[in-house]
Amino acid sequence: YRRMRRDRTDDFFKRISRIEHLIIMESFSKTLGMPGMRIAFIRTADNRLMKAIRTRLTYGFSGVNLFGQQVVEYLLTKPEGQRIAAEFLEVTNKEIVKNLNWLKEHKLLEESLYQEMPDGIFAIVNKSEEEMINNRIGAVSLDFFTELPELREQYADTSRICVSVPHNKFLQFFSSFI
């Protein structure tokens, strides 16, 4: 979701796009405010892999989400769509920054993982998945993301949460932690 927090001057993907065996997957569902649409794209310099991906996607999903494609095209190419998308990103990013600042202020960010503020739609908090779910906050235990036993143990009581929500709603759910 890098494009959610960056503008068009970010050339990170362009700089790394020729790395062998690299696969870049990007979703429009978050960056254009289309939750549930599940429309994205994949880039890779590996032509054999791209051919296999196209074939498998075609078999599994018919490779087409016409409605989603038309919405994305409108948002990316039409002046009104570009205005809507830019407004969505501006408002959403302001809310993300408020949420991250609130987490930091209340010492809920897992500080061992951050030398600077998180830069995305997810953050790692120093609360277990169970604690989060008991407070009606969707979370995934950080140990879910690794198979390394030492890291699974170290981060068993931490969780990944989505911070891309309106700040007032965020505060309603997190009020039990202060």
Side-chain angles (χ1 to χ4, degrees), residues 47-62:
N47 291 328
R48 284 184 24 206
L49 178 58
M50 204 62 223
K51 182 179 178 185
I53 290 169
R54 281 190 193 111
T55 301
R56 293 198 184 278
L57 286 177
T58 300
Y59 289 140
F61 307 105
S62 300

Side-chain angles (χ1 to χ4, degrees), residues 60-127:
F61 307 105
S62 300
V64 176
N65 177 339
L66 187 57
F67 175 74
Q69 288 175 348
Q70 289 186 321
V71 171
V72 168
E73 179 186 21
Y74 177 80
L75 292 171
L76 294 178
T77 64
K78 306 295 184 211
E80 178 67 5
Q82 291 170 340
R83 185 193 63 74
I84 291 167
E87 183 179 303
F88 168 77
L89 285 174
E90 180 182 346
V91 168
T92 302
N93 277 311
K94 284 179 182 177
E95 298 299 294
I96 288 171
V97 168
K98 288 179 192 176
N99 295 339
L100 291 172
N101 286 335
W102 190 92
L103 288 171
K104 183 174 179 144
E105 179 183 322
H106 291 87
K107 303 199 181 321
L108 292 168
L109 284 176
E110 177 52 48
E111 292 182 8
S112 69
L113 296 172
Y114 297 113
Q115 293 178 352
E116 52 190 57
M117 286 294 272
D119 187 21
I121 65 169
F122 296 107
I124 308 302
V125 293
N126 55 19
K127 300 291 179 188

